[in-house]
Amino acid sequence: LTYWNNGNIAAENFTIVDDFDERYVSVVNANGGVVSGGKITWTLAGPLTMEAGKQTLTYTVRVSNDMPAGTTNVDNTVVISHPRDEDPSNNTAKERVIVNVSEPFLPFTGGEFALLLGFAAVVGVLGLLLRVRTDSAA
């Protein structure tokens, strides 16, 4: 998360709340934030001034293994707030990640590559048998 103060008042004791889609994402490392109910909350002492520029907060998530087949929208909303904020209209950011999961192709075969390789081997053997049979008939 990248955040900054673009107001005239230095922010002290401000909060950042990241509302993530807990159906498909789990938090591995919240980097000091408190995880509860699909949200990570950081309370930061500050001060955060305009002159400090952009700040970065990094955390780690894991995408669920049982993501449904097809297209899934994974939404995320982050809000930064301070009780003396002069303009709270610019404190929210929303992001959508579109995940496409296709149906596995015959998962018991080890994937498409193994199936195609097996098919090529069978066709090669059949071709060889037909050639040998044709040669012996002549």
Side-chain angles (χ1 to χ4, degrees):
L1 302 172
T2 301
Y3 61 96
W4 60 94
N5 184 348
N6 58 5
N8 297 319
I9 299 172
E12 295 182 11
N13 297 317
F14 59 97
T15 59
I16 298 175
V17 179
D18 187 326
D19 187 352
F20 61 92
D21 194 338
E22 66 182 333
R23 295 174 299 169
Y24 307 118
V25 175
S26 60
V27 177
V28 175
N29 179 351
N31 192 12
V34 176
V35 180
S36 178
K39 296 180 180 182
I40 309 171
T41 302
W42 293 271
T43 302
L44 303 168
L48 178 62
T49 63
M50 184 186 299
E51 295 76 30
K54 293 183 177 183
Q55 305 294 309
T56 302
L57 182 61
T58 303
Y59 65 97
T60 308
V61 297
R62 177 175 291 125
V63 177
S64 174
N65 286 337
D66 59 348
M67 183 78 68
T71 301
T72 302
N73 295 326
V74 180
D75 294 323
N76 190 60
T77 302
V78 178
V79 177
I80 186 169
S81 60
H82 183 265
R84 297 186 318 143
D85 191 352
E86 296 171 337
D87 181 14
S89 68
N90 60 9
N91 293 0
T92 301
K94 295 182 179 191
E95 193 67 40
R96 170 172 279 173
V97 176
I98 300 171
V99 180
N100 291 307
V101 177
S102 61
E103 289 284 339
F105 183 78
L106 300 175
F108 56 89
T109 65
E112 292 179 19
F113 179 75
L115 183 62
L116 291 174
L117 190 59
F119 182 74
V122 168
V123 169
V125 169
L126 285 174
L128 182 63
L129 288 175
L130 288 173
R131 180 177 282 165
V132 168
R133 187 168 186 170
T134 304
D135 288 346
S136 63

